[in-house]
Amino acid sequence: MAKITFHNEPATTAGELPKVGSIAANFVAVGKDLKEKSLSDYQGQRIVLNIFPSVDTGVCAASVRRFNEEAGKLSNTKVLCISKDLPFAMARFCGAEGLTNVEVLSDFRGDFSKKYPVELLDTPLKGLLSRVVIVLDEEYRVIYTEQVEEITDEPDYKAALEALK
């Protein structure tokens, strides 16, 4: 379990992030078209998993915008933005913002939070995903992880993107 904070109050996640050097677990999540997607659908590509509580919060929305901007500069890399938001909400947000370089996935009926135990166990956000970035190489090897210590802070974009170089 990771010990983090939400508005400087203690928060706990369901487990730990995968270790750098390990092979990432396959998962199922739901795309904006309501079709199930899995990690294996992105075979041969580098992957950035941008995981967050809800796109309807300022910091989460900022992370999707920033990764969308950066994704346009990355070759052979897919940025997957994952939350428990309904696919409709994430599609509406990306459409309204004109975000086309990221892919949104929902864990509302998938197994993502079982394979990646980043779900919050307490706080008013209990049941949502914590703020995490995981970067994978083309063989699904974990090359970078960040469990953001304070949920209301943005991730370290620079460090995540450096891992791809």
Side-chain angles (χ1 to χ4, degrees):
M1 292 186 210
K3 299 287 185 186
I4 56 178
T5 58
F6 175 59
H7 293 294
N8 298 312
E9 293 294 322
T12 309
T13 66
E16 300 295 326
L17 299 181
K19 301 279 187 232
V20 171
S22 66
I23 300 299
N26 198 18
F27 63 83
V28 174
V30 181
K32 62 183 178 182
D33 59 0
L34 297 179
K35 292 182 180 168
E36 291 185 349
K37 301 282 287 191
S38 67
L39 181 61
S40 59
D41 291 332
Y42 305 95
Q43 189 170 17
Q45 296 180 354
R46 301 179 309 171
I47 306 291
V48 176
L49 301 175
N50 176 34
I51 306 157
F52 51 87
S54 174
V55 77
D56 286 325
T57 68
V59 176
C60 299
S63 75
V64 175
R65 286 185 200 105
R66 176 70 183 271
F67 275 119
N68 181 74
E69 177 185 328
E70 298 297 341
K73 305 171 194 170
L74 301 171
S75 63
N76 194 38
T77 304
K78 229 9 168 179
V79 177
L80 306 179
C81 296
I82 303 171
S83 75
K84 288 198 175 185
D85 287 320
L86 290 177
F88 312 114
M90 292 197 293
R92 183 177 56 249
F93 172 79
C94 288
E97 297 275 333
L99 307 180
T100 59
N101 296 325
V102 295
E103 187 168 337
V104 291
L105 296 174
S106 174
D107 190 36
F108 89 104
R109 70 164 191 239
D111 67 357
F112 181 82
S113 58
K114 289 178 180 43
K115 303 287 180 80
Y116 296 80
V118 298
E119 186 173 313
L120 291 160
L121 300 179
D122 45 27
T123 80
L125 300 180
K126 179 180 178 178
L128 296 178
L129 305 179
S130 62
R131 188 172 320 287
V132 172
V133 176
I134 301 172
V135 180
L136 311 175
D137 69 12
E138 296 89 345
E139 297 171 353
Y140 306 131
R141 188 172 328 283
V142 177
I143 59 174
Y144 175 83
T145 64
E146 179 190 10
Q147 171 71 69
V148 179
E149 291 183 24
E150 166 56 51
I151 296 169
T152 61
D153 289 344
E154 291 184 58
D156 186 344
Y157 303 107
K158 183 178 178 184
L161 297 168
E162 284 290 319
L164 293 166
K165 293 184 177 177

